[in-house]
Amino acid sequence: MTGTSTTARTGAIRNTGTIPHPHTTTETDVTTATHTTTATHTTRARAGARRGAAGFSSAALVKLEIKRSLRNRKFLFFSVLFPALLFLITAGGQDADVKMPHSGGLSVPAYLMVSMASFGALTAVLMGNSERIAKERESGWVRQLRLTSLPGRGYVLAKTASAAVVSLPSIVVVFAAGAAVKGVRLDVWQWLALTGSIWAGSLCFAALGVAVGYLATSDTARPIAMILYFTLSVLGGLWMPSTTFPHWLQTLGEWLPTHAYAALGRAIELGGAPHAKDVVLLVAYFAAFAVGAAWLYRKDTLKA
């Protein structure tokens, strides 16, 4: 800036024959100072943006995802209200005295209540997660998240946790319909244990939804999720007891995550604790889906 000012003063001496005062501000001085100030502000703004990006955490993403889900009325209807309506329709005129065949003594409403609560949670975490993530990849939102310090595992866990939080209302609404309309009666500890086990088990399918969202495009995410959704629901025994299937299909269904998922709630309804095999199976599926989702996230990062 000093060299520019000296040049400007030399030009003034040549043109006017007078020597400008050392403290006189020329037009060149003002322009140079303006550019310097603008560059300083730009540097500070970029530094602030980097600091803000570095401060972005999984907790912040969870809060953002929950707010976005609660604003989606169509999503709330199909994930919260629709499972309860489906429960009331499938239960029909059956009351708590009618037993479901091959269920260990559960009544029809009690059996279907756990099935539809699990089905509703599955709807919220699998269908909602997969299609939303596929669209976010194409819109550029995921690319923006990569500019932050949020790691791949943090993104997967944030998406999984936010989807599971949104699934909780669907479970509670189905249970309320079962108790108020169909006369399902359980002890307080059973209601609490049912809610906790079905909600915790939904984390497994939330991780699956994240993996599908990174495996498919926005056009194919919904069809793939629908195929998984109905296949897992039917073969896992959410719609009917798997004992009605052929033996080979029963054997296959027993190793599906949805079978273990529904078995958690039915064991609690019968007054016992969930079987260790079902718990281990769900944990193993959750770990596999979460690792796969994180790997697909990093693979998608390398392509960008």
Side-chain angles (χ1 to χ4, degrees), residues 80-98:
V80 177
L81 297 179
F82 181 70
L85 294 175
L86 197 59
F87 162 65
L88 296 176
I89 293 172
T90 54
Q94 307 290 342
D95 55 28
D97 296 328
V98 181

Side-chain angles (χ1 to χ4, degrees), residues 190-263:
Q190 289 177 300
W191 287 115
L192 295 177
L194 271 177
T195 304
S197 63
I198 294 179
W199 177 76
S202 68
L203 293 172
C204 173
F205 304 100
L208 175 61
V210 177
V212 172
Y214 273 97
L215 187 64
T217 65
S218 60
D219 294 327
T220 60
R222 180 185 288 265
I224 292 175
M226 290 288 287
I227 292 172
L228 290 172
Y229 177 63
F230 285 108
T231 301
L232 291 174
S233 297
V234 174
L235 296 183
L238 297 185
W239 290 95
M240 64 190 74
S242 57
T243 52
T244 60
F245 299 153
H247 180 71
W248 68 270
L249 205 54
Q250 292 182 39
T251 304
L252 174 63
E254 289 175 358
W255 292 98
L256 292 178
T258 40
H259 183 276
Y261 186 38

